[in-house]
Amino acid sequence: MTGWLVVALLAVSIASLAWGASEASVFTVLGKLWRGEELSAVERVVMVNIRMPRLFMGMLVGAGLAVSGAILQGLFRNPLADPGIVGVTAGGSLGAISAIVLGSLLPAGVLAVTSGWLVALAAFFGAWISTLLLYRVATRDGRTSVATMLLAGIALAALAAAISGLLVFRASDAQLRDLTFWSMGSLAGATWSRVLAALPIVALALTASPLLSHGLNGIALGEAAAMHMGVEVQRTKTLAILWVAAATGLAVAVAGGIGFVGIVVPHLLRLATGPDHTPLLPNAALLGAILLIAADMISRTVVAPAELPIGIVTAVLGAPVFLWILLRRRGLVGLE
Amino acid sequence: MIEAHDITVRLGQRDTLKGIDLVAAPGQVTAIVGPNGSGKTTFLRALTGELKAHGTITLNGRALQSIPVGELAGLRAVLPQAVRMAFPFTVTEVVRLGLRAGLSAGRDGLILQALEAVGTVDLADRPYPDLSGGEQQRVQLARVLAQVWEPVADGIPRWLFLDEPVSSLDPGHQFTVINTVRTFAARGGGVIAVMHDLNLTAIMADKVVVLKDGRVAAMGAPCEVMTEEILSDVYNCPLRPGLMPAGTVPFLLPQSSPLAM
């Protein structure tokens, strides 16, 4: 399975480099490189400075969101948990908006150190706090109530949206412009420096994944059973929540709210290879990357030269899957 | 050896356990019985370290709290009363989770052997959430067995903690499971089981601990504690046990209750 996903990722990456609003195509570029010809300035800019960073950012964001979904679902023992649905993304957005509107109030020294990172950091903290709150509200004695989780998610998202609204209301014109660009939710702003800034977070997260998969497999049996099977339950939960906050915060900071990747990808993979988290987490990273690159291709080609926000594309693909799971597994939501 | 001294557990506003002492030896099956709400499951959870308890508990001579959870998983396995799983793990995958947690990780052949030990090989490929309550109980028992497959490893006995292991099973599977549990003890492992059915307790256990209101009401071999005096007092109704013809295994029939007289 993993091998096929790698092949598919390569294929979709090449396609993503090949298609776009500009005429420059990866094939003509490769052909020129092969023949030793010089690339035109346009080709160089389009390939190297626009499409490639965008492709890599898409990979990072897609992988992060899909693995976040799989981890949240493992943590809550529930296939319906998704950062977008349970309010984690809204918390991250509130963090990002706070940074854009209130960031200038920070002491100059802090601003100098965090410049470029401030929105991402704030989004991380927003996502982290909302995940922690959600876990506290929805989980008692290691058991999560689905209804409480979904309802708490709605409440958290509403609260975050209300505070975000207040902040937007008092934002200056320049800040409003920044907010508008940020909230359009697109990978168009991807640059090499941003990709490089995101890399260490993703690298750290990927090293933590194997530790998490053993713990999450244990937690599938319940927290007490996990402890009896040698899982450091508290450490697993802390790590899982930090992971989700980091990946969701990153995704929100660079691309705004992108929903449903975290629910579609793990669900499809569980159908194919079962619920064991050991293959699930790495495969989710690959399929998440594939899905987001594909969604990005759709978002920038269907109405070219304009762009659809990528969140619209993922929602159109993902919402029906969410409903399908809900209908197929009614027992989870107390309908059986 | 498991030694528990002066175990007190407070749940909510009341003491669920009030100063319980217990010594359980490897090579034996120790059963905990008592009326509903007498603290059986709480006691088991305290012995496994799942619940915080006042008092001291040692496992194979070491303080329970001092053993890291990873090491503990190789020393003992715990069967809870019922386990719901959110994701459709197959039966084989569930048992593999137990296998990976123990010292025999990697010996995949043990999965089938563990399923065989509880009479459940035919379910190997079925999704766990689709099974009946009794079938799920057997699968969980197979998982727990796979975790501590060798009753003695490097000369150190390993332990099974079972919370009502046969409560949802039909008589055929009850005997299969009891046989498996007895074999585990006969090969040097230790077993502590919370039991509901006194007749099955009498044929499974070497030692019975009777709890009432969070205290030990009686402790000893089945024929020592399953007496008319003790049972009638503990269960608060007149009960008159009989003895099997061989004279050592007590039994209790509903027909011996006042209703049938």
Side-chain angles (χ1 to χ4, degrees):
Chain A
M1 185 72 184
T2 309
W4 286 112
L5 288 173
V6 171
V7 172
L9 180 60
L10 282 176
V12 78
S13 300
I14 292 171
S16 161
L17 290 177
W19 274 298
S22 151
E23 291 292 309
S25 149
V26 74
F27 302 112
T28 52
V29 169
L30 284 177
K32 279 189 174 180
L33 287 176
W34 177 253
R35 292 189 297 271
E37 293 171 22
E38 279 279 304
L39 294 182
S40 71
V42 171
E43 281 166 343
R44 195 182 303 259
V45 168
V46 168
M47 280 297 145
V48 179
N49 292 348
I50 297 179
R51 287 193 197 161
M52 282 177 77
R54 184 167 182 150
L55 169 69
F56 283 112
M57 194 53 105
M59 278 185 198
L60 296 181
V61 169
L65 285 175
V67 179
S68 289
I71 290 176
L72 265 187
Q73 288 147 28
L75 183 68
F76 283 103
R77 305 181 66 210
N78 189 301
L80 294 178
D82 169 88
I85 293 162
V86 295
V88 177
T89 306
S93 300
L94 174 59
I97 291 172
S98 310
I100 294 172
V101 177
L102 305 175
S104 55
L105 302 177
L106 287 171
V110 178
L111 275 179
V113 175
T114 55
S115 73
W117 284 79
L118 189 62
V119 174
L121 267 178
F124 162 73
F125 278 112
W128 184 42
I129 290 168
S130 47
T131 316
L132 275 180
L133 272 175
L134 183 74
Y135 191 83
R136 290 278 153 80
V137 173
T139 305
R140 283 270 180 286
D141 300 328
R143 298 176 54 140
T144 303
S145 145
V146 186
T148 318
M149 179 190 76
L150 294 177
L151 292 173
I154 291 174
L156 280 176
L159 186 65
I163 302 174
S164 303
L166 269 178
L167 288 170
V168 171
F169 195 69
R170 74 176 292 281
S172 67
D173 284 351
Q175 288 167 343
L176 277 178
R177 192 177 142 275
D178 284 349
L179 280 173
T180 311
F181 276 109
W182 169 78
S183 68
M184 278 203 265
S186 140
L187 295 170
T191 59
W192 279 113
S193 63
R194 285 191 177 184
V195 170
L196 290 177
L199 257 181
I201 301 175
V202 177
L204 265 180
L206 287 180
T207 36
S209 287
L211 296 173
L212 274 176
S213 49
H214 168 63
L216 292 175
N217 278 339
I219 288 176
L221 290 155
E223 290 186 15
M227 182 204 111
H228 296 317
M229 287 172 31
V231 173
E232 298 269 9
V233 175
Q234 199 52 47
R235 198 174 66 189
T236 304
K237 289 196 298 196
T238 309
L239 201 61
I241 287 174
L242 279 174
W243 208 115
V244 168
T248 312
L250 172 79
V252 166
V254 300
I258 299 176
F260 295 103
V261 176
I263 205 155
V264 173
V265 169
H267 187 70
L268 290 177
L269 288 172
R270 280 195 204 97
L271 289 178
T273 56
D276 185 343
H277 289 85
T278 315
L280 180 65
L281 296 187
N283 286 346
L286 289 168
L287 188 57
I290 293 169
L291 188 76
L292 205 75
I293 294 169
D296 183 50
M297 274 166 59
I298 296 174
S299 84
R300 64 191 162 86
T301 48
V302 282
V303 290
E307 277 192 24
L308 272 182
I310 191 167
I312 291 181
V313 181
T314 58
V316 165
L317 295 174
V321 177
F322 180 81
L323 284 174
W324 182 53
I325 301 173
L326 209 58
L327 288 171
R328 259 188 78 232
R329 308 206 42 202
R330 287 157 181 260
L332 283 172
V333 278
L335 289 175
E336 241 168 31
Chain B
M1 193 76 82
I2 286 181
E3 292 176 73
H5 179 61
D6 199 18
I7 300 303
T8 298
V9 173
R10 195 173 179 80
L11 290 180
Q13 293 302 310
R14 64 185 262 272
D15 285 335
T16 311
L17 299 180
K18 302 158 186 162
I20 294 187
D21 292 316
L22 171 79
V23 176
Q28 288 197 339
V29 177
T30 305
I32 304 169
V33 300
N36 298 338
S38 57
K40 304 185 291 287
T41 295
T42 306
F43 187 35
L44 193 80
R45 290 173 68 197
L47 286 176
T48 62
E50 187 185 323
L51 272 185
K52 269 208 163 68
H54 294 284
T56 54
I57 300 171
T58 59
L59 176 71
N60 297 340
R62 295 166 66 190
L64 187 65
Q65 273 99 1
S66 71
I67 309 175
V69 288
E71 195 186 337
L72 209 49
L75 289 173
R76 60 107 176 86
V78 182
L79 175 79
Q81 254 178 44
V83 177
R84 283 189 61 199
M85 296 188 78
F87 304 108
F89 281 89
T90 65
V91 165
T92 303
E93 285 168 338
V94 172
V95 181
R96 187 177 287 124
L97 292 180
L99 186 69
R100 281 190 199 153
L103 300 178
S104 309
R107 290 173 60 189
D108 264 15
L110 290 185
I111 293 175
L112 270 185
Q113 289 186 52
L115 285 171
E116 208 165 331
V118 294
T120 311
V121 177
D122 51 322
L123 302 179
D125 298 322
R126 297 264 303 275
Y128 177 84
D130 292 355
L131 304 181
S132 75
E135 289 171 330
Q136 292 189 345
Q137 196 176 27
R138 273 145 55 199
V139 173
Q140 291 297 337
L141 189 62
R143 163 179 75 79
V144 168
L145 279 172
Q147 188 179 334
V148 287
W149 186 252
E150 302 297 340
V152 179
D154 303 326
I156 299 171
R158 300 161 85 196
W159 293 81
L160 280 175
F161 291 86
L162 312 171
D163 196 350
E164 303 204 6
V166 292
S167 57
S168 326
L169 306 187
D170 59 71
H173 285 107
Q174 284 181 331
F175 288 113
T176 307
V177 166
I178 288 174
N179 191 31
T180 298
V181 169
R182 286 225 53 92
T183 308
F184 184 85
R187 291 172 56 210
V191 180
I192 298 185
V194 168
M195 293 290 287
H196 197 64
D197 186 311
L198 292 172
N199 289 318
L200 296 173
T201 306
I203 58 171
M204 184 172 101
D206 300 290
K207 179 177 182 177
V208 180
V209 182
V210 186
L211 296 186
K212 186 187 182 187
D213 296 331
R215 295 181 203 279
V216 176
M219 194 184 307
C223 59
E224 291 167 3
V225 299
M226 282 180 64
T227 63
E228 183 173 354
E229 191 190 355
I230 293 174
L231 294 185
S232 301
D233 171 55
V234 167
Y235 289 94
N236 211 15
C237 76
L239 291 171
R240 193 154 41 103
L243 277 181
M244 290 298 284
T248 52
V249 180
F251 65 87
L252 198 63
L253 294 174
Q255 285 76 3
S256 70
S257 76
L259 287 177
M261 300 284 167

